[in-house]
Amino acid sequence: MTPAQRAMERLGTWPDLTACPASCGTGQALRTSRDEIVHFHSARDVDLHLTDRAIQRFHYDLGGSSAIQLVPGSCWVTVHLDCATDVDLLLSLVSVALKAHQARPRSAGPASAGCNFHRVAVLPRDVVTDR
């Protein structure tokens, strides 16, 4: 089982999440009644929909992880799943995303579904240099 399959299986048991095709057209997604939260694009690459506010709040922590790639101006983060710890990180961040989306006022309408797919290149960790 791939890391993304393990994560999808675990998150699939969460009562607030429902599986559906990703709106970007590639892979599967998990969504709440209001927003898509996670896009599973491949066996290892996942886009997670955080809000702008959540990304600002955790920017330094997110940027310090070799598993996470931030795209300027995007409210999605890309998570590369190499090991069980990355899956655990993703599950923790999904919890943050759910809380962030619940805090958004309903009048704000649906959140942007424009994930980072095709906007990032994820390199294996042994290729990534120190920041």
Side-chain angles (χ1 to χ4, degrees), residues 81-105:
L81 306 174
D82 274 334
C83 58
T85 302
D86 296 339
V87 173
D88 292 339
L89 172 63
L90 174 65
L91 271 61
S92 295
L93 290 174
V94 169
S95 181
V96 169
L98 288 171
K99 289 180 189 281
H101 282 269
Q102 288 171 350
R104 283 183 43 248

Side-chain angles (χ1 to χ4, degrees), residues 27-128:
Q28 288 292 311
L30 292 172
R31 65 170 298 115
T32 65
S33 60
R34 290 176 52 183
D35 302 307
E36 288 185 16
I37 303 295
V38 187
H39 286 185
F40 293 88
H41 295 300
S42 72
R44 297 193 181 278
D45 298 318
V46 177
D47 279 342
L48 174 66
H49 191 186
L50 292 173
T51 61
D52 289 330
R53 188 173 188 175
I55 289 175
Q56 288 173 0
R57 182 174 178 202
F58 296 107
H59 184 266
Y60 293 109
D61 296 316
L62 295 171
S65 172
S66 61
I68 295 176
Q69 186 163 6
L70 300 172
V71 175
S74 177
C75 56
W76 292 75
V77 298
T78 300
V79 183
H80 186 72
L81 306 174
D82 274 334
C83 58
T85 302
D86 296 339
V87 173
D88 292 339
L89 172 63
L90 174 65
L91 271 61
S92 295
L93 290 174
V94 169
S95 181
V96 169
L98 288 171
K99 289 180 189 281
H101 282 269
Q102 288 171 350
R104 283 183 43 248
R106 280 223 177 257
S107 61
S112 167
C115 70
N116 293 338
F117 191 62
H118 295 301
R119 294 174 55 185
V120 298
V122 179
L123 301 173
R125 288 194 184 150
D126 57 348
V127 176
V128 176

